[in-house]
Every structure is written in C-alpha cells, then in structure tokens.
Amino acid sequence: MAAVKRIYSFGGGKAEGNRDMKDLLGGKGAGVAEMSNIGLLVPPGFTITTDVCVAFYKGGKKLPKDVLPGVEAALRKVEALTGKGFGSADDPLLVSVRSGARVSMPGMMDTVLNLGLNDRTVVGLAKRSQNERFAWDSYRRFCAMFGDVVLGMKPERKEDRDPFEVILERKKRAHGAKLDAELPVSALKELVVEFKAEVKRRKGIDFPDDPMQQLVAGIEAVFRSWDNERAIAYRRLNAIPAEWGTAVTVQAMVFGNMGEDSGTGVAFTRNPADGRNEFYGEFLVNAQGEDVVAGIRTPQKISELAARFPEIARQLEDARAKLERHYRDMQDIEFTIERGRLYLLQTRSGKRTGLAAVRIAVEMADARLISREEAVLRVDPAALNHLLRPIFDDAARLRAVDEGRLLARGLPAGPGAAAGRVVFFAEDAEAWKARGEQVVLARHETSPEDIRGMNAAQGFLTAFGGMTSHAALVARQMGKVAIVGCEALSFDYHARTMTVATARGPKVLREGDWISIDGTAGEVIEGSLATTPSEVMQVLIEKTREPSSAPVYQQFAKLLGWADRARRLKVRANADQPDQATVSVAFGAQGIGLCRTEHMFFGEGKIGPMREMIVAETLAERRAALAKLLPLQREDFAGIFRAMGGRPVTIRTIDPPLHEFLPQDPDGITELARATGKSEVHVRARIDELHEANPMLGHRGCRLGISYPEITEMQARAIFEAACEVAAEGLEVQPEVMIPLVGAKKELEHQAARVRAVAEAVFAERGARVRYTVGTMIEVPRGAVCAGPIAEVADFFSFGTNDLTQTTFGISRDDVGTVLQSYLENGIYEVDPFVTIDREGVGELMRLAVERGRRTKPNLKIGICGEHGGDPSSVEFCHQLGLDYVSCSPYRLPIARLAAAQAALREQAAAHPVKPARPAKANGRGGEKARATNRALAVPGVKPAKEPRKKRTRARPQARA
Ligand code: ADP
Ligand code: MG
Ligand code: MG
C-alpha cells in the first residue's frame, strides 16, 4: 500500500500544507501552514491529519502505531528549526497540542499548552530564559491543563469547582495574593507538587514525566475531544458530520508570559460589529493563551498597543494588512508577543453581523481587493434583515433584564424591536392608533380579519402558531415586529388581561400596559424600551433621510445594485394594498406576484357588502351586494396599478372559504342580521352551512368561483375597469389574473372563460383594450402532474408552495406547533418544509410542472408566490428550475435579490471553475458572459437539483425557547 501522508510540517518560512487543505489539516492547521508560506512569523510545528483521527476512532481510540515514527521525525524538524530539544534538560522544546476541525468549532475541543515539562526540563527552561518565575508558572499551568484535558481531572459533581482551581485559590489565600502573578516562585513550585498529588489521589496514577509519553497522550486526548459532549452538541446544532474528525497541530510554544515585553491577544482585522475598517481586538501583557478569553484580567484595546509597544504595534499592523491582502477577507487572528517578537498563532475568516458583512464586502470590492461578484457572494442574504429592522438600545435592554422585566420568550417571527401599549383586539389596535397611541397587539392567535389591527400595531405577539402561522406571515409581509408561539401567555379576553407564566410566578398585564417585543431575539419585555428605525428604512420608506447622509444605506444599495446585475431571476412582491406596492417598488420589486384580494374585503367599508353577498338567498341579492363591492375593489386595483408604474401585477381571485368572512360571535350575528334585513335564524343557518370540517381542503379557491361565477366576474370587472381607467391616464398596466387551487384543466377553463368574457365586455364598453393574461396557481399535486393540459389554457403558472407543501405532505400548516416541532427535533424532517422548499418531494412536483407546462408552451411564464420566495435556499432552487421570477413579502425583496444573484453566480462558477491558484480579477466585469451562460443553463428540468452547500445550517428551524 502506498504510504499516505499523514503529517504535514510547517515553519521556517515554508509549509507542506496550505490554505486549501482544511479538510485534511483542519482550519487551524491550514491557517498556520498558509501563514508560514506567506512569510509571517509562525512557531514551527506539524499537523496530524483528520484521516488519522478517523483511524484513531476505528482502532479503538488508540493512536495508530505507524503514526508515531512520523511524529518523531516531524518533531526532529521542529527541534532543528528552534535549536531546542524535546525533553532536553538544557534547552527544552515545549509544544502545544491543538485541536482544529474543517470548520471552526470555537472552544468546543481541547488544547494543551507547555507540553514537555517535567522536573528536569523546568530547570533548563528557567536557566535559558533566566526567568525562574516564568518557568515554574508555565509548569504549573501545564500540570493543570494536562490534568484536566488528558487525565480527565474534572470536578466530581457539576456544582463543584475545578480541582486545580481550588488548590490555586487556597495557595493565593495563604500568600495573601489577589492575582496569580503575585505568587512567589516557591508557591508555584509547591503548586506543581500539590497538583500532581491531587492527580495521584483522585486517579491513582503518577503524572507522566516522559515528554514523549506526554505527547502521545496529548494527541490522543485532542482526538478524543472530538467526541466530547460539547462538541457533539455543537455538531448537531450546526449539522457538522461526525465522520469529519479533527486534526491535531503540534507546535513549538512561544511565551507571552515571559515578562513585561511579552503578551498575547486576539483581534479582528476589521470591526465585526459594524464593519468599520479598523483593527479591533484586545491583548494582555505578560500572559499566555487563554488568559484573554478567560477574562481573568481586563485586557487592553489593540489601539492602546502603539503607545506602549510602538514596534510591536507596527509589526501587528503589517501582519493585519498582509493577511487581509492575502485572504481577501476579514480575519480573526490570535497572536503572541515573546520578548518583543510577534508570532501569529491562528487566522480564520471572522464572524460578523449583517451590518458588518455588507460594509466589509462593499468596501473590499471598492478597494479592488475582491470582485463585485465575490462581494455579492460574501453576504448571507438573511443577514440583510439586520439592516432593515428598528433596534432597541442595548444598554436599555440590559437594564430591563437586570430589573427582572424580561417576561417570556417565543419564536422570533418578525425581526426588529417594537414597544407599545398592549391591546387584545384588532379593533382596539386600530382605534387606539387612530387616537395617537402606539400599540402592540397580543392575541392567542390572529386571523385574516385582524389584518387592519395588525397593520395599526407596532408589532404583534401570539401564544399560538409557528414561523409560518398567519401572524408570522403577515409580519413578514408588512415588515412588522412579531413574536409567535409564546406559550407562556394566556388570555382572558373578557377581563382584558394577559397572564405571563414567568419563573417568578404569573404576571398579569392589563390592556394599556406597556410592553416591548424584540422580534430578533424573541424576547417579551415589560415596559417601554426606546427604538429607532434603521437607516435604510429612513431613506427608502420613511424618506426622512437623504441617501447622501446615510452610509449604511449607500452600501446596501451598492451591494444590491451589483446583485441585480448578476441575477437572472426576476423578483416580485406579494402585496395587496397600494402602500405595500409602493414599499415593494422601493425595495426593487419588478412586479407583484401575488395580490390577495381577500385582504381587501376586510378593508374600510368592504366587509359589510361582502357579508351581505355571502348571506344572500338569491342570485339577484348576491349580485346587488357584489355591485356594492365592485367600485371598492376597482379603486384598490387602480391604486395598485398606479403604484406599480407599468410593472406586471398578478391578482388572485377569491381564495379562502367564505366562513372566514362571517362573524362568529352573537353580537356580530345580530348586527349582520339587522344590517342585511335577514333573520338571525337565517344568518346562523348560513354560518352552519358554510362551516368547514377542514378549511384547507374545503370550499375554496376556484371551487368558490365555480359555485359562484358572479364573484369571479365581479372581480374580473373590477380589475379590467381599473386597468382601463389607469391606462386612460396614460400609464402602462399589466394585469395578470390568477385562478387559485386548480387541479384540472376544466376548472381553469371554466374560470378563464368568465374572466375573458368580462374583459371583452369591459373593453367594448370602454372602447379601449389593455394587455392582460390569465393563469393559474399550481398548488395541489394534481395541478403539477396535469400541468401539460393545464398549460393549454394558462398564460402563466405561479407555484403556491404553501398549499403545495401542505397538500403534498398532507400536513396542515397550522399543525406546525405540534407535529412539525417533534419531527424537527427527531430529525425526521431536516428543515421546516414551510420555510425551505422540500426539494425531494415538493420540488420534484415543481420540476414536473415546469417540464410538462413548458412542453405544451415553451415560453410559459412561471413564478413562485409562496412564502418560500423569500428563502435563500428556495430561491436558489427556483433558479435551478429555470423559473422566471420569485415573489415574496416586500421586506424580503432584498434577500430574494441577493439570493437570486448568488444562485446565478454559483451556477456560473460551477460551469466555469476558476483555477484556485489565481484569484478572480477585481474588476467586477464578466457580467455579460455570465448572463449568457446562465441563460444557456436555464433549460428547465434538465439540471438535477444540487444540494446547497450550507442548506442544513442555514435553514435550521428556530428552536422553541
Ligand atoms: P482554540 O481553538 O480553543 O482557540 P487554540 O489551539 O487556538 O484553541 O489554543 C488556545 C490558546 O492557546 C490560543 O489563545 C493560542 O494563542 C494559545 N496557543 C496555542 N498554541 C500556542 C503556542 N504554540 N504558543 C503559544 N500560545 C499558543
Ligand atoms: Mg484559537
Ligand atoms: Mg393557496
């Protein structure tokens, strides 16, 4: 068998590994190798590959025998480079044994420092460094760390303290020392003896003195730490496969604890919170390794380094520039200063907020460090939310938590911050808002009839429902702050109170009490915290700020401009009011993909005639009621057409079952009877008749339009009259009438014929025509399977993936709280299929529909208007299917634009792989060719769905708090 390379050395300005070998060397190993290669000062060492870790687990958690000679040989190289000897009593080489997986798992696995010390080598270390204190300080640190990590000296019970910590504390007390550094050398020597005795007492073993034995045990312990509880939990949370294993890097120690000219630190090459191009980090003088993170002493800011150590500050600044130039991304680094010399110990791409991600990507592209395409690929689309949301003041939140005002947690359905007086009824929300109050609507759940109250509220809060519940959906569409599924809440609607079950017992809130909700964190806080709208919103929507004075907005706009150039998919909005249409256009909508007419029926003055229509006993009565609705709908449509300025508008005919429009409470029924001149008995009978055993599968969608063609006809008339009216004003209009829930060609034929007849009639009356189309939603499996014949009648398809997911899985969206949650917890579903399209099932039906539909009509326009249209992984899938557009909530448009661009760029990169050695030119061009390639690849149905690389991590469901 050919020998497989298992150990990669680095140091002395070169390395056997490099940055592209993360799979084998782990992120840390690849990072130190690369830094050696580019001439940064890195202590020499070697990395044992992840393959060895895999073999370690296969072989009963023992280091494979044949690895040892390689370790010894690699160690000899380190000795040669440092001029020190491992185990030498004269000038000992000490090493660290470090863990490092393919992807960083910060703090999850173990590391041992100062390995190679024993009673003989410590003397050599003291003599060579001429610093006895430093030598013994290192020794006692080593005993504690090795005891903990390798020998398993853990506290006996969870509530106990670390056994070495207890001994150290006792020693400090005996010497009247506050800090470790105040202990005399004699005490450090005693600590070593006492630590070893404690090991003997607890474990019955002698502390190993032989450095080679220490090293093997250290390597094995780091491999074992891949399987500790913390690491397993982290892997599960981040969908990291257990098979990967960790690499082990053995590296010569450098010492930040050698005195006042030494130190250690961590830093980001740019500010990770806001992205500012400034060196951001902390350091400690005379300290080692974990001290900075452990918070034993308060570290100093990097910016203070220059005052104290100008030469080191300059070296560090050089390293920062070099690393950024080389990695072309913001780096998170660890460094140690040993007697005035700077050593780098780690580099990786740094985690950042959405705000920082955008700023860094844009500024790096502007500086030609990366191309514009790369900038577009750098930002996680979901992170853009961060730039849109109003925010709570951090300090105010902390104060509230300190004061015990954090009441409960729920699912963060609508990110952002909102404060207001709590009300429990939608009407109240409207009425209070009208008199100038700021309100938060809290309810057990919400329904379409609450829509106006929801709009009036700053945000809403429900006890019931999941991330795709009505409240959550409306929150995204309206850009409202919302928390749903907050199970600690219970309501007494009569008493107008809400009770929150808190850790300290029940807390009762009355109507009008102030609450604050953080829809990003899912926190419900008592009282009012101050908020401000984000800069982007101030410019785009509120128009209270000039773009020129809004740098965050400018970066946002720039990045999205680049994204727009790269994408092939168009983006549209789901919007059903003129003001939502205006917001959509501001966020870049190229049309409306779904205008839900039922929301309009709840608008001012419309619910009355709607109900009249429903309780009507004869066709004539029904027509009379519809005649009242006609002008109201017409006005809504005209408003939307105007707001959309010639962009296409897809209007869906009535969809929900009629019972949703009727009152359920006795007062409402009496009132309805009075208003319509019907008997209460009749109204009640009608309500009973309309009761749906299963509203999801009931009398709804095109079924309603087939039972009551006059409703479809009234809606069609309103649409075409509005279109003609707006066209007469000289504006362009593009109505697209969409029939919901079609499963058979004849259903669509029936409805399309009515719509077309009305269109012709209106055009004849007005003596003018407008261009229009009639299409269908594909949202039941039969519709997808029969897409071929349906396309003979349809001008376009739009996937209603909410219903298509419900009907394909046979699971109701309202069951998310129970079934779905347990399925996700048990790993039966990897992701919530209502959030991210299930490519294997629902996705296959979509592919079938695209294929069959376009076989009938090659130019069939196809889009998606389910909630998935704003989910990055689903957008990518739509790109791969060759859809024409995705439609999503207005506030998700930026996400969809960016996700669509990334899908196109990734596809292009897969088709034309760039040689890894040569970074892409930073000129931001290549768009034309890219677009051509995309078009060529966009043949529907031929490309198999590729799993997105990070699908599982990105689409993790939000855990219930
Ligand atoms: P983690 O992955 O938890 O950050 P590391 O392997 O990076 O673990 O090590 C923890 C700390 O020890 C880091 O702060 C690092 O700077 C320090 N350290 C690791 N190896 C050495 C070394 N050879 N010399 C000096 N300090 C080291
Ligand atoms: Mg580290
Ligand atoms: Mg539907």
Side-chain angles (χ1 to χ4, degrees), residues 28 96 98 107 111 113 251-254 289-290 334 345-346:
K28 205 178 285 167
S96 62
R98 315 174 66 187
T111 284
L113 302 181
Q251 189 174 23
M253 283 299 299
V254 286
E290 312 286 47
E334 291 178 2
L345 289 167
Q346 192 171 330

Side-chain angles (χ1 to χ4, degrees), residues 184-265:
V185 178
S186 64
L188 296 174
K189 289 182 176 174
E190 287 160 21
L191 278 176
V192 168
V193 175
E194 288 165 29
F195 283 177
K196 289 183 173 179
E198 185 71 3
V199 168
K200 179 82 185 176
R201 193 178 71 78
R202 290 231 201 161
K203 297 279 165 186
I205 49 171
D206 291 318
F207 195 95
D209 275 337
D210 172 34
M212 207 53 211
Q213 201 186 330
Q214 290 175 354
L215 182 58
V216 172
I219 293 169
E220 288 182 343
V222 171
F223 279 148
R224 276 201 307 273
S225 75
W226 173 254
D227 244 8
N228 71 31
E229 264 173 51
R230 256 177 328 177
I232 291 174
Y234 185 89
R235 282 206 293 275
R236 195 167 296 149
L237 231 79
N238 293 282
I240 299 171
E243 310 84 72
W244 280 3
T246 179
V248 173
T249 294
V250 176
Q251 189 174 23
M253 283 299 299
V254 286
F255 302 100
N257 54 339
M258 268 200 175
E260 292 301 304
D261 55 355
S262 303
T264 182

